[in-house]
Amino acid sequence: GKTEPLKALPAMFDAKGLCVEQYFCTSKDGTKIPYFIMRREDMAFDGNNPTLVDAYGGFEISMLPGYAGGVGVAWLEKGGVKVIANIRGGGEYGPEWHKSALKANRYKCYEDMEAVAQDLIDRNITNSAKLACIGGSNGGLMVGNLITRPISSKLFTTAVCQVPLLDMKVYSKLLAGASWMAEYGNPDEPDEWKFLRRHSPYHLLRHDNLGLPEEEGDENECQIKNPDWKCPQVLFTTSTRDDRVHPGHARKMVRALIEEAQPMDKADTVLYWENVEGGHGGAADNKQRAHMWALTYTFLAQYLGLNCGDDKN
């Protein structure tokens, strides 16, 4: 039958001319990975569009495109492309999709993101210089891996890492971390630390990429495993009062990047913002939330070259 609108809130942004599409790409092990693109209908497929890839990849949480005022005003209206990547670890295809990236298989999440990034480039939607990733909490762990892995750190030249887990050696001893060991593994078990070490961004940064000794007295054994690695332009955001992921994760990662990576010419742009309120969401009220996202999208627009020079700023 015929439908008619009864009531609606005022539009938060001009959605006219925007569209949503779904694509699939193939991950390293042959698995088909779905992702959604939100873009302007008249976008040119010239490989030059500022593109932001958002994902989570954990705890059986599904991600879908939706109506969000901040994304619309700060990104889509101005011609930016927003991608939602449905990588493994989430719940998009049920429990098995989640289980396929648990513990020792966590790396599959990051291979999926690399596949999505390469597919966006192959479809002439964007290029590495215009490509960014963003994620918070478990998604922050994902971003931490993407900026330290050899392949993804070249595909994504800009990143936003929000309230992240980054040191997987100590995560289970900080705040709510012990409750996540079924997802990630127990770093105090030697066999499980072996695979946790492979996707602990703090260790990948300092030891694999910078060649710093992992233990005291190992100076003669340390070597740089990824000599061509360089950190993407990155913004870290966290909260002093986060009661789930300790802000120490972000603090120590930023310290290592600024004090150890930058003197080696391995990290050009490292920015950090810590709100003193807000809990795990990073903001205590709408004003703080607006400030946090304004910082985030300003950073992305500046480094991806999104044209914000219109009267909608």
Side-chain angles (χ1 to χ4, degrees):
K2 190 175 181 181
T3 61
E4 61 178 290
L6 296 178
K7 185 180 286 187
L9 292 170
M12 296 181 184
F13 63 94
D14 183 6
K16 186 178 180 180
L18 298 178
C19 66
V20 180
E21 300 169 314
Q22 186 181 38
Y23 293 97
F24 289 81
C25 63
T26 304
S27 195
K28 186 176 181 179
D29 65 0
T31 303
K32 296 292 184 182
I33 307 300
Y35 65 93
F36 291 94
I37 294 180
M38 293 176 276
R39 65 173 179 86
R40 299 200 66 83
E41 291 177 340
D42 59 0
M43 182 196 79
F45 284 81
D46 59 2
N48 202 40
N49 297 287
T51 301
L52 176 62
V53 184
D54 192 357
Y56 190 74
F59 296 91
E60 206 173 338
I61 293 174
S62 301
M63 290 187 67
L64 291 171
Y67 186 92
V71 178
V73 170
W75 199 250
L76 297 176
E77 268 191 352
K78 296 176 170 61
V81 177
K82 178 72 184 288
V83 175
I84 303 294
N86 305 120
I87 60 177
R88 281 172 285 185
E92 287 83 358
Y93 289 133
E96 292 306 313
W97 196 248
H98 171 229
K99 292 176 183 177
S100 64
L102 288 177
K103 293 189 173 183
N105 290 325
R106 202 74 190 175
Y107 68 93
K108 293 182 182 293
C109 301
Y110 316 132
E111 289 182 349
D112 293 353
M113 284 292 283
E114 291 169 351
V116 170
Q118 188 60 59
D119 202 56
L120 291 167
I121 294 169
D122 292 345
R123 292 181 188 273
N124 270 340
I125 292 170
T126 192
N127 65 78
S128 290
K130 297 279 187 175
L131 187 58
C133 56
I134 188 170
S137 192
N138 174 73
L141 171 62
M142 173 200 72
V143 172
N145 273 271
L146 295 179
I147 66 174
T148 51
R149 286 167 61 91
I151 295 175
S152 51
S153 59
K154 292 182 173 64
L155 290 169
F156 296 98
T157 55
T158 305
V160 178
C161 191
Q162 302 168 310
V163 291
L165 286 146
L166 295 167
D167 184 345
M168 300 308 285
K169 182 65 174 176
V170 300
Y171 86 92
S172 60
K173 296 177 174 64
L174 300 173
L175 300 177
S179 65
W180 308 324
M181 287 194 286
E183 183 85 9
Y184 301 126
N186 183 352
D188 293 330
E189 293 288 340
D191 289 344
E192 298 199 358
W193 170 240
K194 286 180 182 178
F195 62 72
L196 273 165
R197 167 65 174 78
R198 292 195 293 270
H199 53 256
S200 178
Y202 185 68
H203 293 81
L204 295 175
L205 166 65
R206 300 189 72 246
H207 312 308
D208 293 7
N209 295 337
L210 301 182
L212 299 172
E214 196 154 349
E215 302 288 346
E216 290 187 17
D218 286 350
E219 286 80 1
N220 295 328
E221 299 179 15
C222 60
Q223 59 179 346
I224 298 176
K225 296 180 182 178
N226 304 314
D228 297 331
W229 173 82
K230 190 165 187 177
C231 187
Q233 302 155 146
V234 59
L235 167 65
F236 291 86
T237 67
T238 188
S239 167
T240 307
R241 296 190 179 184
D242 192 331
D243 58 356
R244 278 185 269 176
V245 178
H246 198 288
H249 284 279
R251 292 170 184 166
K252 68 192 300 184
M253 189 75 167
V254 170
R255 184 208 63 81
L257 284 167
I258 292 175
E259 296 182 6
E260 296 171 339
Q262 284 190 339
M264 299 170 68
D265 196 30
K266 291 292 187 177
D268 290 336
T269 302
V270 181
L271 303 179
Y272 180 74
W273 181 72
E274 180 174 325
N275 189 14
V276 297
E277 298 180 294
H280 194 49
D285 53 35
N286 285 339
K287 183 177 181 180
Q288 291 182 8
R289 190 170 294 108
H291 179 73
M292 177 181 70
W293 283 110
L295 288 175
T296 299
Y297 281 111
T298 299
F299 165 76
L300 290 166
Q302 288 177 350
Y303 285 96
L304 296 187
L306 183 68
N307 181 17
C308 295
D310 58 23
D311 59 4
K312 293 178 182 177
N313 280 340

